[in-house]
Amino acid sequence: MTKKITLAKTSFETKEFLDHISLDCVIFGFHDNELKVLTLQLKRTLENALPGGFLKKEETLEEAAKRVLKERTGLDQIFLKQFKVFSDPLRSKNNPQKPDYIDDDLPYDLDFFAKRFITIGYYALVDFTKVNATPDVFSQKCEWKNITESSNYILDHYEIIRDALEVLRLQLRHQPIGYNLLPDKFTMPELQKLYETILGRELDRRNFQRKILSYKILNKLGERKKGGAHKSPFLYEFNLEKYQKALNEGLSGTW
């Protein structure tokens, strides 16, 4: 009989999964001018982990990643990209047969977590305000952390976050960024702050505006941001058709 546990709309049947292939999702969000990543706080140990899990026997990696994202965020149609395979033989060597974050009364196969497994890294870009953060069965919290918070992650999960950020920076050099991270309407300073946060450095305001407008991926709206001064900045939105074209064909130049 297959063992099963259920919590927060998440099911886990060890015999339903492959025990040597997993995936970990670095889910980026932008809030209060900070780039954040969605994390899980494990039971008992209170360690941090990335949302992820093992691959089901009857699903593709992309289906598994979308399943994990849906369960943790409540969202679908998310920008999602596979970026790296993590296969260091030592990454899971010290996993105990019974991880400390597993409750005694939860059924599972004793050796399932003790085996060596390879994980595939995905990163996703989401609108922070639309996420319904939901913990999995092994966690007591699902919460946002600043990407600079590097302590108390299990295995190589902070390394996975760093690598995802590097790939995101590379994408920013050749493709547009922002549609999945910003609200529908935003100001030019907000978009510039997003780019600066990802790149980790300041950008010249005039050069940034000239360059981003040259890509023709923005629509300037006939309204200003509410709640500001009389000359508060104008609002923009992404032109989705041109934005998608830029994603497919790439952008010229670099930041």
Side-chain angles (χ1 to χ4, degrees):
M1 182 177 180
T2 302
K3 299 177 181 179
K4 181 177 181 180
I5 50 181
T6 302
L7 181 66
K9 300 181 180 179
T10 302
S11 64
F12 187 84
E13 298 181 16
T14 57
K15 293 182 180 179
E16 184 183 1
F17 294 82
L18 299 172
D19 60 8
H20 60 287
I21 301 177
S22 68
L23 60 138
D24 288 297
C25 298
V26 182
I27 305 173
F28 289 114
F30 188 66
H31 183 64
D32 288 342
N33 289 331
E34 292 184 346
L35 189 64
K36 299 179 182 292
V37 62
L38 193 65
T39 64
L40 298 167
Q41 186 182 71
L42 302 178
K43 297 176 180 178
R44 296 189 178 183
T45 68
L46 305 183
E47 292 175 295
N48 300 317
L50 290 171
F54 287 90
L55 179 69
K56 289 184 179 181
K57 296 176 181 178
E58 303 299 328
E59 68 181 350
T60 66
L61 283 166
E62 288 71 24
E63 289 169 344
K66 291 177 181 179
R67 168 175 55 81
V68 169
L69 288 168
K70 179 69 174 179
E71 290 175 346
R72 301 285 71 78
T73 69
L75 302 177
D76 48 24
Q77 304 300 318
I78 292 176
F79 179 91
L80 176 69
K81 182 173 287 190
Q82 183 184 133
F83 69 94
K84 187 175 179 179
V85 175
F86 296 84
S87 59
D88 187 335
L90 300 180
R91 68 179 303 271
S92 55
K93 181 179 179 181
N94 296 323
N95 274 7
Q97 284 192 325
K98 183 179 179 181
D100 291 336
Y101 52 83
I102 304 296
D103 288 344
D104 291 332
D105 57 349
L106 294 180
Y108 65 96
D109 292 338
L110 288 176
D111 64 345
F112 190 83
F113 297 95
K115 298 178 181 179
R116 177 194 174 190
F117 56 92
I118 294 170
T119 199
I120 292 85
Y122 283 84
Y123 75 90
L125 308 179
V126 301
D127 184 339
F128 179 95
T129 63
K130 296 179 180 178
V131 170
N132 178 25
T134 305
D136 64 17
V137 70
F138 306 119
S139 310
Q140 66 176 8
K141 289 182 182 179
C142 184
E143 58 187 358
W144 293 98
K145 289 187 177 297
N146 191 291
I147 56 170
T148 60
E149 297 181 50
S150 60
S151 63
N152 208 30
Y153 278 93
I154 66 169
L155 302 174
D156 53 358
H157 281 204
Y158 190 66
E159 176 188 340
I160 295 174
I161 293 173
R162 292 200 314 266
D163 287 354
L165 180 58
E166 286 303 314
V167 173
L168 184 61
R169 286 171 174 166
L170 288 174
Q171 179 193 334
L172 187 147
R173 295 176 183 273
H174 305 289
Q175 293 178 305
I177 289 287
Y179 171 62
N180 307 85
L181 291 167
L182 292 171
D184 294 337
K185 299 178 181 180
F186 52 89
T187 66
M188 189 66 71
E190 289 169 339
L191 180 60
Q192 179 173 340
K193 185 61 179 179
L194 171 62
Y195 273 63
E196 291 176 335
T197 301
I198 293 173
L199 291 171
R201 58 184 173 87
E202 293 185 359
L203 299 171
D204 180 80
R205 180 181 63 83
R206 292 184 179 179
N207 288 341
F208 175 84
Q209 182 166 326
R210 181 174 63 252
K211 191 168 193 177
I212 202 73
L213 291 177
S214 72
Y215 295 146
K216 302 187 185 302
I217 59 173
L218 301 180
N219 295 329
K220 186 176 182 180
L221 304 176
E223 56 183 301
R224 296 179 182 269
K225 186 173 182 178
K226 295 180 180 179
H230 174 67
K231 292 186 178 180
S232 55
F234 278 102
L235 291 169
Y236 290 81
E237 66 179 4
F238 286 107
N239 183 308
L240 297 187
E241 182 178 351
K242 294 181 179 179
Y243 188 95
Q244 187 60 49
K245 182 178 180 181
L247 280 177
N248 295 334
E249 299 180 1
L251 298 171
S252 60
T254 185
W255 294 99

